[in-house]
Amino acid sequence: PEGAQTNVAMSKAIKMAGDAHLSQELRAGAINFMALRNPQQYELFLKKLISPQNPLPVQLAALRTLSVIPGENISKYFLEQWTTLTPELRNEAINTFLTTDQRIKLFLDKIESGAINPGAISWPQSVQIRSSGEYRDRARSLLAAQDDKRKDVIDDYQVSLNMKGNPAKGMTVYAMNCAICHQVGGKMGRSFGPDLGTLHGWAPADIMTNILDPNRSIAHGYDMWVVKLNNGKEVQGIISTESSTALTLSNTEGVETNIARQDISSLTALGMSAMPADLENKIDKQQMADLQAFLKQIE
């Protein structure tokens, strides 16, 4: 309830939330407390807490508390900051868009414009956005839409779907082109990108499309980031681990870089996959059929 006691408690919560000497749990708890009333008057303060220098629980609590502010302005702010939000923050931000039809519309607008890759949406979130609300039909259409940027290449390779593949030769294709970044069933190759053993149940056309157009639907957690450090250096890679105090970036050469949050100047998503988008220059149509045969036999 409104009153002097609540105002004193809220002032104490704000002070705790901004105190970097307190534990991240206490700070996050204080930020969550601020969501018990409309936190609009603390908007600028909460926005400053969503920075890579702060522990992840503090950032997540600030994001959730900001989302309590009525209307769409905060949703617009999250969209403006999208390229700076790490995977866990993006996931939480998406949840805040699913609370009202107006926020869903903003989110779908960005998907349609290409500013947000549908691959950032988890399966439960996808089910929710496509199954309820005023914009469910539009969501179904957008999330099922095909990107035409590499349509000609994909159309050209359709003939490979009807070719008989040789699994043994496909294993060679995998070893030469895929093993540098992918394992199959936890074996062979390097665990940088998604495990290709998970593709066993996919339709051949979907496997081929994702090979030829890897930016179409980037697997959650496998998009590329660039981190600028306080000393001016930059590091690129996927965020392989994220803790309250540090990030670990992995690159295609197998190099892992641990970065303390306090050393980060800025963090930006590149909106692209680490996988090359010109594999048609290395894998011909018969080799595509062979690779598919190899992947489909792995369980």
Side-chain angles (χ1 to χ4, degrees):
E2 295 292 336
Q5 187 176 10
T6 296
N7 291 335
V8 169
M10 195 62 65
S11 297
K12 182 177 180 181
I14 295 168
K15 184 177 180 180
M16 292 174 65
D19 190 345
H21 296 96
L22 294 179
S23 71
Q24 60 192 30
E25 291 81 11
L26 281 176
R27 294 180 67 192
I31 296 167
N32 290 334
F33 180 84
M34 295 169 65
L36 294 178
R37 61 165 28 161
N38 184 348
Q40 187 164 13
Q41 60 182 310
Y42 313 119
E43 180 178 332
L44 292 178
F45 170 74
L46 291 167
K47 285 179 178 178
K48 290 180 180 178
L49 294 179
I50 305 177
S51 69
Q53 294 80 17
N54 275 315
L56 182 60
V58 171
Q59 296 187 66
L60 288 169
L63 189 153
R64 295 189 194 103
T65 299
L66 278 170
S67 73
V68 174
I69 299 175
E72 290 76 60
N73 286 338
I74 287 301
S75 297
K76 293 176 182 177
Y77 174 75
F78 291 158
L79 292 172
E80 292 168 359
Q81 302 299 312
W82 191 258
T83 59
T84 70
L85 301 179
T86 61
E88 288 202 45
L89 288 169
R90 284 186 178 185
N91 184 68
E92 192 60 46
I94 291 173
N95 288 333
T96 72
F97 283 104
L98 306 184
T99 56
T100 70
D101 283 340
Q102 291 73 27
R103 291 185 177 188
I104 288 175
K105 181 183 182 300
L106 288 174
F107 188 59
L108 293 178
D109 287 345
K110 290 297 182 180
I111 291 177
E112 187 169 24
S113 71
I116 292 179
N117 191 303
I121 305 172
S122 70
W123 177 246
Q125 290 166 339
S126 177
V127 170
Q128 182 177 344
I129 199 172
R130 288 184 289 117
S131 61
S132 62
E134 179 181 349
Y135 297 98
R136 59 183 180 274
D137 291 337
R138 185 184 177 204
R140 291 171 187 169
S141 175
L142 283 175
L143 296 180
Q146 297 297 309
D147 188 346
D148 292 336
K149 291 179 181 178
R150 290 183 53 80
K151 184 176 183 300
D152 290 344
V153 173
I154 294 170
D155 287 347
D156 186 43
Y157 268 70
Q158 291 297 314
V159 296
S160 71
L161 299 177
N162 297 317
M163 293 179 175
K164 182 174 178 58
N166 183 315
K169 292 183 178 179
M171 182 175 179
T172 300
V173 176
Y174 158 79
M176 294 180 63
N177 298 280
C178 313
I180 187 174
C181 292
H182 298 277
Q183 290 187 329
V184 179
K187 302 174 183 178
M188 303 178 286
R190 188 166 68 85
S191 180
F192 174 72
D195 192 310
L196 299 186
T198 61
L199 304 183
H200 176 75
W202 284 34
D206 292 336
I207 296 175
M208 183 188 72
T209 296
N210 279 272
I211 291 173
L212 296 174
D213 190 4
N215 292 318
R216 174 172 299 206
S217 181
I218 304 171
H220 179 63
Y222 289 100
D223 44 352
M224 291 289 288
W225 294 78
V226 57
V227 178
K228 187 173 182 179
L229 305 179
N230 293 329
N231 61 12
K233 292 183 178 179
E234 290 188 353
V235 182
Q236 286 191 12
I238 64 170
I239 298 177
S240 53
T241 61
E242 179 179 5
S243 71
S244 61
T245 58
L247 303 175
T248 299
L249 260 67
S250 302
N251 65 21
T252 54
E253 283 75 43
V255 177
E256 291 191 343
T257 304
N258 297 310
I259 305 171
R261 289 188 180 275
Q262 63 187 22
D263 295 331
I264 298 174
S265 173
S266 65
L267 181 66
T268 307
L270 298 179
M272 59 179 288
S273 169
M275 185 171 168
D278 61 348
L279 283 176
E280 70 274 9
N281 296 323
K282 299 179 180 180
I283 301 175
D284 64 26
K285 297 177 182 64
Q286 182 57 59
Q287 289 174 322
M288 179 66 73
D290 295 338
L291 178 59
Q292 293 249 27
F294 167 66
L295 294 176
K296 295 296 284 185
Q297 74 172 7
I298 305 296
E299 297 194 38

